[in-house]
């Protein structure tokens, strides 16, 4: 398959959606992004990355970071993580608080905000918040093979200032005894992981190990154990898009994770990864043109976990 032609063709397919949807505005620093940006990157087993449009431009990865933090938390604490967070789709928006009361401060899954905050607590474990942030940043740099990956301090500060809902979630979870570290320390990790800036190219390369049973196919690093990589993919498929997860699985049929910066990471097991970026979002916080691009891509290739 000519992958360069594929990404070029898909970019043309979705030109009509460029600028559609709403750019996230509840984090002030995110609303400054040009809504007409549109990038696509496909990373293949040999590490080649095929790019089209704005695929080289760093964007705020936001909730996509939750996938990699989950990996680190499982590496730290193993299955005991599941005493603190569930593995079921929430059917609710990413920042919803409603289930937390009935479920006694145990978030439904690690990919909604409340769950991701619990994940941060487990990565922090007995260390400091700064150490946990260094760990995720070093992980992303190493996996991307690019030491220039960085946190956008402006976005991190904006997240913190606008973080009323996330604070509510974190204090609520803590009230049930489900955080062992100081709430503001845990939140400071979460705000900074969401503010990591990466391009489609860097992110596609970084996630490649998830398509190959936890092994980086280029460096041969055993990044994580195979069962863990498969389970992270299962959680992405069932929970990666909040109350839009069913629709995403139906339309695209691949494990994926959205972020309100407009990025979507998808994993094609045994083949590679696809990352799209376009800042206009649907009502569930998933990139509108990005999801359309993924739909066109699977139409053209037949990629699906259901073949
Ligand atoms: O916590 C927040 O609201 C953001 N930092 C991340 C939310 C997000 O990306 C939801 N994904 N679509």
């Amino acid at each position: 398959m000519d992958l360069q032609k594929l990404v070029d063709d898909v970019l043309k397919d979705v030109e009509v959606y460029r600028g559609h949807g709403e750019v996230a505005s509840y984090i002030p620093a995110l609303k400054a992004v040009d809504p007409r940006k549109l990038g696509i990157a496909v990373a293949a087993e040999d590490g080649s990355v095929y790019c089209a449009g704005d695929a080289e431009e760093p964007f705020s990865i936001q909730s996509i970071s939750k996938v990699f933090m989950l990996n680190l938390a499982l590496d730290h604490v193993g299955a005991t993580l599941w005493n603190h967070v569930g593995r079921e789709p929430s059917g609710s928006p990413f920042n919803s608080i409603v289930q937390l009361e009935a479920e006694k401060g145990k978030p439904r899954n690690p990919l909604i905000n409340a769950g991701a905050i619990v994940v941060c607590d487990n990565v922090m474990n007995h260390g400091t918040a700064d150490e946990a942030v260094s760990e995720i940043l070093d992980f992303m740099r190493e996996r991307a093979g690019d030491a220039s990956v960085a946190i956008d301090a402006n976005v991190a500060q904006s997240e913190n200032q606008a973080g009323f809902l996330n604070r509510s979630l974190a204090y609520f979870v803590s009230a049930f005894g489900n955080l062992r570290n100081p709430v503001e320390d845990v939140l400071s990790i979460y705000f900074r992981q969401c503010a990591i800036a990466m391009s489609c190219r860097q992110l596609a390369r970084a996630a490649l190990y998830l398509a190959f049973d936890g092994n980086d196919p280029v460096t041969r690093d055993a990044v994580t154990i195979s069962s863990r990589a498969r389970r992270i993919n299962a959680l992405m498929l069932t929970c990666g898009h909040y109350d839009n997860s069913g629709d995403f699985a139906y339309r695209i049929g691949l494990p994926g994770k959205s972020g309100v910066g407009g990025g979507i990471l998808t994993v094609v097991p045994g083949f590679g990864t696809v990352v799209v970026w376009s800042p206009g979002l649907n009502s569930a916080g998933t990139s509108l043109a990005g999801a359309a691009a993924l739909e066109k891509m699977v139409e053209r290739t037949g990629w699906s976990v259901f073949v």
Side-chain angles (χ1 to χ4, degrees), residues 26-27 62-64 66 94-95 113 159 166 190 194 242 257-261 284-286:
Y26 70 100
I27 301 169
Q62 292 292 315
S63 287
I64 300 171
K66 293 169 180 171
F94 58 85
N95 51 12
N113 289 12
E159 298 249 3
N166 285 321
Y190 177 72
C194 287
Y242 322 109
K257 183 72 208 82
S258 59
V260 291
T286 302

Side-chain angles (χ1 to χ4, degrees), residues 136-179:
I136 183 71
L137 196 53
D138 287 348
F139 184 88
M140 298 314 288
R141 286 175 173 162
E142 190 172 358
R143 297 280 47 94
D146 191 337
S148 75
V149 171
I151 292 169
D152 183 328
N154 186 32
V155 173
Q157 193 193 19
S158 194
E159 298 249 3
N160 186 14
Q161 280 169 356
F164 303 110
L165 253 175
N166 285 321
R167 280 205 163 74
S168 307
L169 294 169
Y171 279 97
F172 208 88
V173 167
S174 182
F176 282 96
N178 198 13
L179 291 183

